[in-house]
Amino acid sequence: MLTGVVIKAYSSYYYLQTGEKITMGTLRGRFKKERFSLLVGDEVEYSLTGEGKGIIENILPRHSMLKRPMVANVDQVMLIFAAVNPDINPALVDRFLVLAESSQLDTIIVINKTDIADIEQVANIATIYRDIGYCLIFTSTKSGEGIAELQSKLCDRITVFAGPSGAGKSSLLNTLQPGLALVTAEVSQKIGRGRHTTRYAELLPLSAGGFVVDTPGFGLTEFSDIDAPELTYYFPELARLAPECRFNTCLHNKEPQCAVKQALAAGKIARDRYESYLYILQEIQESKKGF
Ligand code: GDP
Ligand code: ZN
């Protein structure tokens, strides 16, 4: 039996990649009875039934599932921001980080366009995120800075790109592997025209190893799936403090004897981050009111 990754689903056919080879697989009948939905990103065991054809015998356990787009086993998200043009906006960085954390993905923050930015301008912002423990990479598709480092983070993993429009996602993909961005641009165009709205994402294999999801992840920054008490856990530096709060239901807002507010007063956590937390908290609370 062979092991492969589902890189594309087309009606009842699944494109399975094993090394460089692609096999068209179909599911054994018993999976259909169980109404199991096989997703792009799933790892399967299959046997060959002919040249380039196979039958899927086994689906290996999923370690993660991203909902937007629907992809199994995504390992990490590359959050792409431009240092300037459009200027990096910490509140927006925090919104993307919350979505990444709530999807249980490892996160790499990429600050692009260093060729036209004064690094001093973004140094303070970068320090805040480094101190929390996030991995940061500075890149430029014009000077080539950071591209090798980015490449090394992609191999052997399934990565989804995300970030505001204009930050340089397609330029980075194209710099990593010419031709890649073309595929993603066609996809966004099709989605833009309202066709293929229910299409599933595809995995694009990188020649240096690893896969990139062809559609950017969580473009819509809404938090409807998150409950107020959970939000703390998506701010790692607050999550570390929360056990020391007086009340275990503490939302670090109006509650007394709150370890988060004490740390804030002592300058141990960044005020901008705390404000992002409160802002998103309020948004979540407002959105639940109507229900
Ligand atoms: P996307 O919307 O995130 O996919 O962003 P694009 O890749 O389309 O890039 C938006 C604009 O920024 C384009 O005009 C790119 O040429 C430009 N751009 C992308 N990367 C860089 C960079 O590293 N430096 C500079 N100066 N411009 C860049
Ligand atoms: Zn608290």
Side-chain angles (χ1 to χ4, degrees), residues 112-113 115-116 139-142 164-171:
N112 188 36
K113 308 199 189 183
D115 57 298
I116 51 169
T139 61
S140 164
T141 61
K142 309 284 177 196
S165 146
K169 292 180 292 299
S170 20
S171 309

Side-chain angles (χ1 to χ4, degrees), residues 5 39-43 62-78 100 103-107 156-161 201-203 211-215 217-218:
V5 176
L39 290 180
V40 162
D42 269 321
E43 225 184 331
R62 267 179 205 159
H63 69 72
S64 74
M65 200 180 99
L66 190 63
K67 285 193 201 149
R68 276 181 298 257
M70 277 272 258
V71 184
N73 297 327
V74 173
D75 295 294
Q76 62 186 4
V77 57
M78 290 276 175
S103 306
Q104 330 243 282
L105 301 174
D106 289 345
T107 307
D156 303 325
R157 312 203 81 192
I158 299 181
T159 306
V160 63
F161 278 62
E202 283 176 31
L203 296 186
F211 297 94
V212 170
V213 181
D214 70 341
T215 334
F218 32 76

